[in-house]
């Protein structure tokens, strides 16, 4: 097969890139190793930044998000049971949208199929070749047959566990990472959230996040040990801890558990995000702890930068965008990394923390919920800095 841009991975990054390229008249083929059903039902992120919601609308994939998504003009920071609202409307006049990542993926897949662009599911044995040549190749098997895609460029949108980042030659990549000594136990429940907006709750028992997917579906997270076994957490124990970590700030209604799982917490970046004609975008290049709700939004930002660079290459024979791709993305990636780390270190209990650390956290939380300057800093990064 032959295409201008070969895309590995049909997550938010790969699907959004394909849509952006289609609108620019640039051909692409997406290869995905999971089934359509699997990727459309994988529960992950839930919060879309201000500019990213506008992007989904601009590329014609925002109708259901506008109809079913929930606009939020603020969040609550709970400090041992006392809620403090960060007012995005007043501070930055921007909003975030609550709309599950799997819903975004469904709409992007439907759009891709309507565009008629090739999207191959359940491929196997994907590999990349000749990435430093002008004709890099993707090889894989599909429906039992060996296949090869002859490309001008390859976009590695295959997530943290994909094959693109490991395909870089030794010595090219610099890795920057930090693992956190805890994880998040996340549940999806048929129950109303305790507040109409998110609650990030700091308590002596540990962190908890009360978010949602609709007025009747809650997405709730508990800080847990990094090597926690979900089998140790009965529904009753989860609910009990969620009640306690609200600290009496709100009443929490229980309901049917629809899904539960544990997400590890890590900060991870590779530099550069490109080698030859292979470009990494999204989780294949970076991971943030979900405390800042940045993961999916960063994936969109990377592919917006890449699509603009590819457009300039094909339309004006300009290489500067492609040459500067990494640097352009990494500025924003490090903003998001720092913000996600900062939100994580201010809200969680750490195993070897001292009484000093706890007082310092409380002082920090008190400052950001009382100082207009400090809460503006939080608000402008939370709703998402513009993609320049
Ligand atoms: P993705 O991982 O979404 O997509 C990569 C795609 O490539 C997948 O479909 C995968 O099947 C495919 N693939 C992998 N290897 C391949 C191969 N060899 N060949 C072909 N295809 C291959 N972010 C938030 O902002 N908030 C959250 O609450 C949040 N919760 C998360 C919970 C979990 C369990 C995980 C894993 C992530 C979570 N994230 C969260 C982060 C998440 O939303 C990512 O940032 C987002 O999915 C990034 O999108 P992509 O870069 O497209 O990567
Ligand atoms: C979610 O709704 O899944 C969500 C929201 C905000 C976060 C993390 C996850 O910081």
């Amino acid at each position: 097969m032959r295409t201008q841009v070969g895309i590995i991975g049909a997550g938010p990054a790969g699907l959004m890139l394909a849509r952006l390229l289609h609108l620019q008249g640039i051909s692409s083929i997406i290869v995905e190793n999971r089934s359509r059903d699997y990727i459309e039902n994988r529960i992950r992120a839930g919060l879309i930044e201000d500019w990213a919601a506008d992007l989904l609308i601009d590329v014609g994939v925002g109708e259901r998000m506008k109809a079913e998504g929930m606009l939020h003009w603020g969040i609550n920071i709970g400090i041992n049971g006392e809620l403090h609202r960060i007012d995005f409307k007043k501070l930055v006049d921007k909003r975030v949208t609550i709309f599950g990542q799997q819903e975004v993926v469904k709409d992007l897949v439907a759009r891709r199929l309507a565009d008629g662009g090739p999207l191959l599911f359940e491929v196997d044995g994907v590999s990349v070749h000749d990435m430093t040549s002008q004709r890099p190749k993707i090889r894989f098997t599909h429906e039992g047959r060996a296949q090869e895609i002859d490309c001008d460029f390859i976009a590695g949108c295959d997530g943290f566990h994909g094959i693109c980042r490991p395909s870089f030659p030794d010595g090219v990549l610099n890795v920057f990472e930090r693992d956190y000594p805890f994880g998040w136990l996340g549940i999806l429940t048929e129950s109303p959230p305790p507040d109409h907006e998110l609650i990030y709750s700091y308590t002596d028992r540990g962190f908890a996040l009360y978010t949602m997917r609709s007025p009747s579906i809650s997405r709730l997270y508990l800080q847990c040990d990094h090597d926690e076994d979900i089998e140790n957490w009965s529904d009753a124990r989860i609910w009990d801890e969620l009640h306690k970590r609200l600290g009496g700030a709100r009443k929490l209604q229980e309901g049917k558990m629809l899904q539960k799982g544990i997400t590890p917490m890590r900060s991870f970046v590779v530099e550069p995000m490109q080698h030859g004609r292979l470009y990494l975008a999204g989780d294949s290049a970076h991971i943030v702890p979900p405390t800042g709700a940045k993961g999916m939004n960063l994936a969109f930002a990377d592919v917006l930068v890449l699509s603009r660079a590819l457009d300039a290459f094909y339309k004006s024979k300009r290489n500067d965008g492609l040459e500067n791709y990494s640097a352009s993305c990494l500025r924003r990636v490090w903003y998001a990394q720092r913000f996600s780390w900062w939100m994580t270190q201010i809200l969680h209990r750490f195993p070897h923390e001292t009484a000093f650390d706890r007082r310092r956290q409380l002082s920090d939380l008190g400052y950001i919920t009382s100082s207009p300057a400090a809460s503006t800093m939080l608000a402008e990064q939370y709703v998402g800095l513009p993609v320049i």
Side-chain angles (χ1 to χ4, degrees):
M1 287 176 270
R2 160 84 191 129
T3 192
Q4 290 171 299
V5 183
I7 299 173
I8 301 175
L15 290 164
M16 176 58 83
L17 176 61
R19 178 60 181 160
L20 289 164
L21 296 175
H22 174 81
L23 293 171
Q24 291 159 344
I26 299 169
S27 69
S28 64
I29 296 177
I30 308 175
V31 294
E32 162 62 46
N33 65 352
R34 297 285 190 166
S35 68
R36 177 176 182 180
D37 182 59
Y38 181 91
I39 69 167
E40 291 188 347
N41 289 288
R42 185 169 43 187
I43 304 290
R44 279 190 169 171
L47 189 137
I48 301 171
E49 292 177 349
D50 185 82
W51 70 276
D54 291 341
L55 175 67
L56 282 162
I57 294 164
D58 293 347
V59 300
V61 187
E63 285 318 302
R64 213 159 55 90
M65 176 193 68
K66 281 195 299 186
E68 299 170 20
M70 303 165 80
L71 285 190
H72 284 197
W73 292 91
I75 56 171
N76 297 289
I77 303 284
I79 306 175
N80 286 324
E82 200 178 298
L83 294 193
H84 303 264
R85 186 166 184 269
I86 306 289
D87 185 341
F88 297 157
K89 181 73 181 163
K90 186 174 76 166
L91 294 165
V92 293
D93 193 22
K94 287 185 178 174
R95 86 305 190 186
V96 292
T97 304
I98 294 288
F99 189 59
Q101 174 174 321
Q102 74 279 13
E103 303 307 325
V104 175
V105 166
K106 280 177 197 157
D107 292 348
L108 283 166
V109 167
R111 184 68 257 171
R112 175 63 176 180
L113 299 178
D115 289 344
L119 165 47
L120 306 180
F121 289 106
E122 298 179 83
V123 303
D124 276 320
V126 177
S127 59
V128 293
H129 303 270
D130 308 328
M131 67 181 88
T132 53
S133 77
Q134 304 238 325
R135 301 299 282 258
K137 294 173 183 57
I138 301 174
R139 292 192 187 120
F140 58 96
T141 57
H142 186 236
E143 293 168 351
R145 291 182 52 208
Q147 301 282 0
E148 178 177 279
I149 306 175
D150 185 8
C151 316
D152 293 340
F153 300 95
I154 297 175
C157 302
D158 52 348
F160 186 68
H161 301 289
I163 57 99
C164 289
R165 186 180 68 249
S167 299
F168 277 50
D170 290 345
V172 169
L173 286 178
N174 295 296
V175 178
F176 303 85
E177 61 186 327
R178 162 195 281 265
D179 287 326
Y180 296 88
F182 41 75
W184 278 11
L185 188 160
I187 63 173
L188 193 69
T189 67
E190 223 162 64
S191 62
D195 191 280
H196 69 288
E197 291 175 328
L198 276 66
I199 300 175
Y200 286 79
S201 186
Y202 172 98
T203 74
D204 290 338
R205 301 182 66 88
F207 171 75
L209 171 59
Y210 304 81
T211 174
M212 70 288 288
R213 291 292 177 268
S214 77
S216 59
I217 300 285
S218 290
R219 179 72 166 143
L220 308 170
Y221 297 96
L222 283 174
Q223 172 185 349
C224 63
D225 290 345
H226 73 287
D227 55 357
E228 190 65 72
D229 180 350
I230 193 74
E231 295 310 315
N232 294 338
W233 286 82
S234 66
D235 292 4
R237 183 185 174 198
I238 294 172
W239 283 116
D240 178 54
E241 201 54 41
L242 283 165
H243 287 298
K244 286 174 177 161
R245 292 192 195 181
L246 252 183
R250 288 285 184 280
K251 289 200 75 54
L252 177 65
Q253 282 186 54
E254 300 185 6
K256 185 179 167 212
M257 204 78 79
L258 302 173
Q259 188 259 2
K260 58 178 162 181
I262 290 177
T263 303
M265 301 280 273
R266 66 165 62 89
S267 296
F268 178 91
V269 184
V270 291
E271 295 183 8
M273 291 171 51
Q274 64 194 92
H275 183 66
R277 290 197 164 200
L278 173 58
Y279 296 83
L280 301 180
D283 277 17
S284 63
H286 41 69
I287 294 284
V288 283
T291 329
K294 293 286 165 237
M296 177 169 64
N297 296 289
L298 265 185
F300 286 155
D302 289 348
V303 295
L304 185 54
V305 171
L306 184 55
S307 69
R308 288 170 177 167
L310 289 164
D311 195 39
F313 172 83
Y314 283 112
K315 300 270 187 350
S316 325
K317 297 274 171 282
R318 282 173 47 201
N319 283 304
D320 53 333
L322 289 170
E323 286 160 5
N324 297 325
Y325 167 73
S326 266
S328 302
C329 290
L330 285 166
R331 251 193 309 279
R332 181 187 188 82
V333 166
W334 280 107
Y335 275 138
Q337 288 287 345
R338 178 255 157 221
F339 178 70
S340 303
W341 162 82
W342 176 75
M343 286 281 279
T344 302
Q345 61 84 30
I346 203 173
L347 287 163
H348 289 75
R349 295 220 63 166
F350 285 72
H352 306 299
E353 67 196 10
T354 64
F356 174 87
D357 295 322
R358 297 293 288 168
R359 283 288 186 275
R360 188 256 310 154
Q361 283 178 320
L362 285 167
S363 169
D364 227 342
L365 289 165
Y367 179 53
I368 60 173
T369 53
S370 60
S371 154
S375 45
T376 301
M377 178 278 287
L378 190 158
E380 73 167 0
Q381 295 194 72
Y382 192 91
V383 300
L385 299 171
V387 182
I388 38 183

